[in-house]
RNA sequence: GCGAGAGUGGCGGAACGGUAGACGCAGUCGACUCAAAAUCGACCGACUUUGUCAUGUGGGUUCGAAUCCCUCCUCUCGCACCA
């Protein structure tokens, strides 16, 4: 393996999202890696120098869970899983550069990650900051969000507390403007992924406004996107976590109870959706800087501390949530935007806020302006009187990467009493995880280890303590695509290799990673550019997101889930249990999951039918971006087709086809046209990710080959068939590589491997049909068809069309006012009378 | 609630604005077989069948609409009650 090929072929980097080594591959992997392998094999055949690597996203919590539950060391568990899954992937017949393989849990990978981190630290991209974490007080451990269920720890059941910890954060918000604007040029990404990222980054323009409390010198700052509606203000509301709320709660037990109630509700979407808007009147008042009027300050459960300033001003006339809140607590509602067509005197707000366009009213110096202009004018005035300013607000928050876990990449810093935070010198990297750890008590084993965390300060040499946090595993997967370019290098990446291979030309994976993984990778690429490691602007030039693999689910009479292997489907459509004979309830078609027992083991499918069948079925079922249904009948159909192709190929002429004959009988010509139409059709389909269409073109071709076989040994047929089978082997090879090689080996024993031969090129002369069928319409309705030579003269076609008996009947007694003629396609007579 | 996408036979789905339903699955009939499986062949949207109606609904643009535009309905996905 050389990092940068020197043969001059254009590069093409195909990458599928690397798997977490859970132990076995699942159908989602099969689909993902089949799609990538088709692209890799096709691009190779088209003359590209293709890189198609594979690795393992090998750090993570499940390994620690296995250690706690079964006493097996995370490393052993992980490496055993990798060995097993590698063998399974190899049985799929994937054309992967296994020489580039690595696992993120290997010090030869994560040591370079530590080096990247120290570079980022020095460049000011990283900082240490206090952050809230989910704390389980019984297990004495930090919980991931998914380990918190209904506000309780998943294992202990204890109520989870919010606890402040010092954590490491990557300052991804510094890149927010760039991460957003670059989306506009990423035209080979699905529109909806770009949209999801744009929403996640969440740019908004508005103003920060400071409101003075009527008593004391304190101020509350709010963020608003509608400074134009300040004259319509009726209240100010703060989040339950806001300092003002805390201050009020400290002296008022009722307020404290309300704040506690808000915080116990959790922030899950389902809860928030149904949550009734509630508030608590603090009794405090603030002054509106434009009107001088006083308004009450409320604590409200719909205000988010994490967004903006954690405080809003409420304008019920023009915001539905504010209106709902105002109606509930009987607060003032003033309209300040008059919708078009309404009368200023009679216009009132009922129960629907008016958030459209119009003209400002009841708004002093803003009266008569459109809201957009009023916004600018309001901001100008706020700045002029020194109580606010126009700002751009971002929803994106910085990326906290500290995890209090063992099975992750150690964060390479040392805490020294005298020198503060000191990075571990690069000469001491990789900073390895200790292997002799125990999982017999809760918490982070790194922290419990008797010696590991004790080190001398690299700066002053005095005894100091290592950081015992490890990185979020999203860090591991944020640069692995770059490491693949030079996986053995003794630096994170080699400049020549990454600058040659990046960006990834085609990245393929699940939509579930549309936001975090892809955004973090985009950020890391920028961070690596700023620290001089590469020059690519974006990591993934092309992105394809595949759908899920679903399957029917089954239940017994008692409601227990049944495995597909446990059921029998009868000719009359009924379904029963294979052993007990009881009637089985056929449930929904849904995502394969262990709990519903509707999983299909790829290993068993490959063993029974072969990898080609599994690949073929998964490609044939439907367009790859949609969810597919795995069906037993569909697999059987795919299997039968592989057998049929093999039988067909057994009849193929053996040996080189020889010189092109002078004469082809009609059946031989028809076969040659089918061959070249198939070449063109499959090529176009593969270029466009239309794998199901490519499969259909191959089916049609097989039918044409069957027809040709029946025609017998007419003039030129032997040659046409040799040409056809050679094309067949090549065209199916990206999808069914094993069968393709078998067929090719039969055609020319001892010849070159299909995988090393070029993609066929369609002969344009053979793409044109010998005659074309022209549809003849009268007034847009089909009345008949005629056969003409391609490129026949318009007047001849029109004459023939008019004479077609059915058309002639439709035209009888009518006056033709217009004749539409689309060459080789259609004639339309427009008639009157 | 907001945003995006999608609605085509029993099913999965084809279809540069130009013969809707390619191809497959399921199904029906036939051949082969003692029989079954496999294989091969034919059929396979609906109906009141010289034809009519059909691509979620109702409009529009066009000689012509599954395709373009608007209305509404349903489903899926994503999300952030984001001020």
């Amino acid at each position: 393996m050389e990092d940068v090929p020197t043969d001059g072929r254009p590069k093409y980097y195909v990458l599928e999202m690397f798997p977490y080594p859970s132990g076995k591959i699942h159908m989602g992997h099969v689909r993902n890696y089949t799609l990538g392998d088709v692209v890799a094999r096709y691009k190779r055949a088209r003359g590209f120098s293709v890189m198609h690597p594979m690795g393992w996203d090998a750090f993570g919590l499940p390994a620690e869970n296995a250690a706690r539950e079964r006493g097996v060391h995370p490393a052993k568990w992980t490496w055993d899983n990798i060995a097993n899954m590698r063998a399974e992937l190899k049985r799929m017949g994937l054309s992967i550069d296994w020489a580039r393989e690595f696992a993120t849990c290997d010090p030869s990978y994560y040591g370079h990650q530590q080096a990247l981190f120290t570079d980022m630290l020095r460049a000011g991209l990283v900082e240490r900051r206090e952050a809230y974490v989910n704390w389980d007080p019984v297990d004495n451990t930090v919980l991931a969000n998914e380990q918190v269920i209904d506000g309780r720890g998943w294992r202990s059941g204890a109520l989870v507390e919010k606890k402040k910890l010092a954590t490491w954060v990557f300052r991804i918000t510094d890149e927010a403007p760039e991460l957003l604007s670059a989306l506009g040029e990423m035209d080979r990404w699905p529109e909806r992924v770009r949209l999801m990222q744009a929403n996640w980054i969440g740019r908004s323009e508005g103003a920060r406004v400071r409101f003075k409390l009527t008593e004391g010198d304190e101020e509350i700052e709010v963020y608003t996107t509608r400074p134009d509606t300040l004259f319509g203000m009726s209240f100010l509301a703060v989040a339950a976590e806001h300092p003002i709320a805390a201050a009020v709660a400290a002296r008022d037990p009722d307020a404290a109870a309300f704040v506690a109630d808000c915080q116990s509700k959790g922030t899950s979407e389902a809860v928030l959706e149904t949550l009734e808007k509630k508030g608590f009147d603090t009794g405090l008042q603030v002054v509106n800087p434009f009107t001088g009027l006083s308004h009450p300050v409320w604590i409200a459960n719909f205000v988010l501390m994490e967004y903006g300033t954690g405080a809003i001003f409420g304008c019920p006339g023009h915001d539905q949530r504010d209106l709902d809140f105002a109606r509930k607590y009987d607060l003032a509602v003033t309209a300040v935007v008059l919708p078009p067509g309404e009368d200023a005197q009679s216009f009132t707000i009922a129960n629907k806020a008016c958030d459209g366009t119009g003209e400002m009213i009841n708004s002093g110096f803003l009266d008569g302006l459109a809201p957009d202009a009023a916004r600018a004018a309001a901001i100008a005035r706020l700045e002029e009187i020194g109580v606010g300013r126009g700002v751009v607000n971002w929803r994106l928050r910085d990326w906290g990467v500290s995890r209090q876990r063992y099975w992750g990449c150690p964060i390479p810093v040392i805490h020294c009493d005298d020198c503060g935070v000191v990075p571990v010198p690069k000469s001491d990297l990789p900073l390895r995880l200790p292997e002799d750890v125990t999982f017999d008590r809760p918490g982070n084993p790194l922290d419990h280890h008797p010696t590991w965390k004790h080190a001398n300060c690299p700066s002053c040499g005095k005894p100091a303590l290592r950081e015992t946090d490890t990185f979020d595993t999203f860090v591991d997967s944020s640069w692995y695509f770059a490491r693949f370019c030079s996986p053995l290098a003794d630096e994170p990446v080699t400049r020549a290799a990454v600058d040659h291979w990046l960006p990834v030309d085609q990245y393929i994976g699940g939509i579930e990673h549309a936001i975090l993984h892809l955004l973090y990778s985009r950020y890391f690429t920028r961070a690596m550019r700023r620290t001089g490691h590469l020059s690519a602007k974006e990591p993934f030039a092309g992105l394809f997101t595949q759908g899920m693999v679903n399957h029917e689910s089954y239940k017994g009479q008692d409601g227990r889930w049944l495995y597909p292997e446990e059921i029998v489907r009868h000719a009359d459509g009924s379904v029963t249990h294979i052993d007990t004979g009881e009637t089985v309830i056929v449930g929904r078609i849904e995502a394969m999951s262990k709990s519903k027992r509707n999983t299909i083991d790829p290993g068993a499918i490959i063993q029974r039918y072969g990898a080609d069948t599994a690949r073929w079925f998964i490609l044939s079922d439907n367009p790859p971006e949609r969810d597919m249904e795995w069906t037993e009948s569909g697999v059987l159909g795919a299997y039968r087709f592989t057998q049929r192709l093999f039988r067909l190929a057994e009849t193929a002429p053996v040996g080189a086809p020889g010189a092109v004959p002078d004469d082809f009988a009609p059946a031989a010509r028809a076969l040659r046209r089918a061959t070249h139409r198939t070449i063109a059709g499959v090529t176009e389909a593969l270029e466009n990710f239309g794998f199901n269409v490519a499969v259909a073109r191959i089916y049609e071709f097989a039918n044409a080959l069957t027809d040709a076989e029946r025609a017998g040994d007419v003039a030129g047929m032997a040659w046409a068939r040799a040409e056809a089978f050679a094309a067949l082997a090549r065209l199916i090879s990206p999808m069914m590589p094993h069968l393709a090689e078998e067929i090719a080996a039969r055609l020319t024993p001892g010849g070159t491997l299909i995988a090393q031969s070029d993609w066929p090129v369609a002969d344009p002369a053979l793409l044109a049909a010998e005659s074309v069928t022209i549809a003849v319409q009268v007034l847009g309705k089909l009345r008949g068809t005629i056969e003409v030579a391609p490129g026949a003269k318009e007047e001849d076609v029109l004459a023939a069309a008019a004479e077609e008996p059915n058309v002639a009947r439709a035209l009888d007694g009518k006056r033709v006012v217009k004749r539409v003629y689309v060459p080789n396609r259609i004639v339309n007579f427009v008639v009157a009378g």
Side-chain angles (χ1 to χ4, degrees), chain A residues 20-172:
Chain A
Y20 178 79
S22 57
K24 297 185 99 172
I25 63 169
H26 55 69
M27 279 301 171
H29 293 131
V30 176
R31 197 177 196 197
N32 195 180
Y33 301 137
T34 298
L35 295 175
D37 197 45
V38 172
V39 173
R41 287 175 183 272
Y42 172 70
K43 288 293 178 182
R44 232 175 256 126
R46 296 309 302 260
F48 287 88
S49 154
V50 170
M51 174 156 84
H52 185 214
M54 179 62 70
W56 309 94
D57 189 14
F59 274 136
L61 213 42
E64 285 190 52
N65 294 338
R68 291 206 158 83
E69 282 155 20
R70 280 176 267 160
V72 52
H73 193 279
K76 177 173 169 40
W77 184 84
T78 303
W79 286 108
D80 285 352
N81 286 347
I82 288 173
N84 191 41
M85 288 175 71
R86 183 194 299 116
E88 289 187 302
L89 289 184
K90 287 193 172 177
R91 281 196 284 274
M92 278 180 64
L94 303 171
S95 62
I96 282 169
D97 307 342
W98 286 106
R100 295 184 186 269
E101 176 190 4
F102 59 75
T104 56
C105 66
D106 194 316
S108 68
Y109 179 80
Y110 70 70
H112 296 298
Q113 185 165 306
Q114 292 166 333
L116 287 178
F117 173 80
T118 55
D119 288 344
M120 289 169 68
L121 188 58
R122 288 198 180 89
L125 309 182
V126 181
E127 69 182 43
R128 198 159 162 76
R129 198 184 292 168
E130 297 258 297
Y132 281 105
V133 296
N134 301 309
W135 180 258
D136 185 322
V138 171
D139 276 354
N140 268 329
T141 188
V142 175
L143 299 178
N145 280 330
E146 63 266 26
Q147 294 175 320
V148 181
I149 297 155
D150 294 334
R152 292 174 181 275
W154 64 328
R155 224 187 279 277
S156 70
L159 277 174
V160 171
E161 299 169 359
K162 293 276 178 202
K163 188 174 168 177
K164 237 177 188 180
L165 279 187
T167 59
W168 289 99
V169 293
F170 289 163
R171 297 176 42 167
I172 189 172

Side-chain angles (χ1 to χ4, degrees), chain A residues 288-321:
Chain A
N288 183 322
F290 282 177
T291 64
L293 299 173
S294 295
H295 301 286
V297 176
W298 288 66
I299 304 169
N301 66 351
F302 64 94
V303 180
L304 299 179
M305 191 63 214
E306 295 81 18
Y307 189 82
T309 60
I312 63 158
F313 82 82
C315 176
H318 307 284
D319 183 292
Q320 190 60 45
R321 286 157 315 169

Side-chain angles (χ1 to χ4, degrees), chain A residues 91 134 205 386 436 479 493 534 552 602 701 732 779 802 821 824:
Chain A
R91 281 196 284 274
N134 301 309
E205 288 181 14
D436 52 335
W479 71 286
V493 294
L534 47 72
E552 263 181 347
F701 193 31
I732 65 170
L779 274 177
Y821 173 64
N824 299 331

Side-chain angles (χ1 to χ4, degrees), chain A residues 205-207 209 224-233 288 290-291 313 315 318 334-338 354-367 369-380 382:
Chain A
E205 288 181 14
V209 186
T224 179
T225 53
R226 296 295 304 272
D228 49 315
T229 63
L230 263 167
F231 285 90
M233 173 179 188
N288 183 322
F290 282 177
T291 64
F313 82 82
C315 176
H318 307 284
T334 310
V336 288
V337 181
L338 183 70
C354 185
D355 47 14
T357 56
E359 182 184 303
M360 304 307 299
I361 53 171
N362 302 326
S363 292
F365 70 94
L366 298 175
D367 276 350
L369 294 173
D372 281 348
R375 214 162 293 165
I379 289 172
L382 288 169

